[in-house]
Amino acid sequence: MFAFLTCFAITISLVWTYQWTMEDTICSLCSKRQVPNGHPDLTALREAVKANRKDIEVQKKEMQDLKEKHSHVAFFAYMSNNWKQLSKHKRLVYNVVDLNNGNGYNQANGMFTAPSSGLYVFHVSTGAFDYSHASIELVSQGRIRNIGWADSANHGDRTFVTTVTPLQLNKGDVVYTRIGKGYGGNYIESNSYIRTSFSGVKIN
């Protein structure tokens, strides 16, 4: 695929160079022969150049679409410390980024924006400890797509929950996690014992 894209790019470059050479030649001939602007042959040549330019723009877009379609998109981020902001629909921010191929994940706001259309799979892992609990919602385009509940509400033991969610996304679609309807206690746990994390990968 890389070899194909490279050859495609070289071909477009050559065609583009040829187009401008042809335009220069036309202008030069017109200047030397003093062809009137309204001459049928000159008009036809100009129309051909315009059509050629449109074809090149279409080919450039097709090449960009191919690059996006076959791009590698994957990210993995986790919380560096326990999360103490427990409130309904509070968006979670995973501030440590280990992987961000495609630059879709924003560590400042915890949101992932799809760099290209395709099928993605998202993992959300959440820990709770010491009489704390929280339901975690995976949200895309304003819709709740999955829910997990880390529940240590009635005991001082540790609970860890993971959800795996495939999503068909369009370029520009946004995915993030937030606290759902159920929550309470002190914090969501993320430390040297367990990591509360958010990750995703484009598989097609």
Side-chain angles (χ1 to χ4, degrees):
M1 179 53 66
F2 177 76
F4 168 74
L5 291 175
T6 302
C7 292
F8 190 52
I10 292 173
T11 301
I12 289 178
S13 177
L14 290 173
V15 172
W16 199 11
T17 302
Y18 170 75
Q19 172 199 319
W20 290 112
T21 302
M22 186 168 66
E23 284 193 74
D24 291 342
T25 302
I26 292 171
C27 292
S28 176
L29 288 173
C30 292
S31 174
K32 290 178 180 178
R33 294 185 180 182
Q34 297 182 344
V35 178
N37 273 335
H39 194 283
D41 291 343
L42 180 58
T43 301
L45 283 171
R46 283 176 173 166
E47 290 301 319
V49 169
K50 287 180 182 178
N52 205 17
R53 183 177 295 171
K54 288 181 181 178
D55 288 342
I56 290 174
E57 292 303 318
V58 170
Q59 290 170 350
K60 283 182 178 178
K61 185 178 186 306
E62 288 176 350
M63 183 178 176
Q64 183 61 35
D65 290 343
L66 277 173
K67 284 183 177 179
E68 290 182 356
K69 183 178 179 180
H70 295 281
S71 62
H72 297 289
V73 181
F75 75 97
F76 175 77
Y78 63 91
M79 296 179 180
S80 59
N81 295 295
N82 297 332
W83 182 271
K84 298 181 180 180
Q85 303 174 49
L86 299 181
S87 59
K88 185 177 179 181
H89 291 171
K90 177 68 177 178
R91 188 171 65 246
L92 302 180
V93 178
Y94 306 81
N95 61 308
V96 180
V97 180
D98 269 0
L99 178 70
N100 198 13
N101 290 347
N103 296 315
Y105 179 73
N106 186 331
Q107 70 183 110
N109 60 23
M111 302 174 77
F112 171 80
T113 303
S116 57
S117 300
L119 179 62
Y120 292 76
V121 175
F122 294 91
H123 293 72
V124 180
S125 297
T126 309
F129 184 61
D130 193 20
Y131 298 95
S132 298
H133 69 103
S135 62
I136 304 300
E137 300 174 343
L138 180 71
V139 180
S140 174
Q141 301 304 105
R143 291 177 54 201
I144 299 173
R145 310 307 294 268
N146 208 346
I147 304 174
W149 190 12
D151 182 15
S152 289
N154 297 321
H155 52 85
D157 211 349
R158 179 174 283 109
T159 303
F160 195 68
V161 63
T162 297
T163 59
V164 180
T165 313
L167 294 177
Q168 186 71 40
L169 300 179
N170 294 318
K171 181 179 179 180
D173 284 355
V174 176
V175 182
Y176 62 92
T177 67
R178 69 185 186 186
I179 295 176
K181 294 181 178 179
Y183 61 90
N186 298 315
Y187 53 78
I188 292 171
E189 186 179 19
S190 190
N191 48 39
S192 59
Y193 295 99
I194 60 174
R195 282 181 174 173
T196 289
S197 64
F198 181 32
S199 61
V201 61
K202 181 182 177 184
I203 61 173
N204 190 18

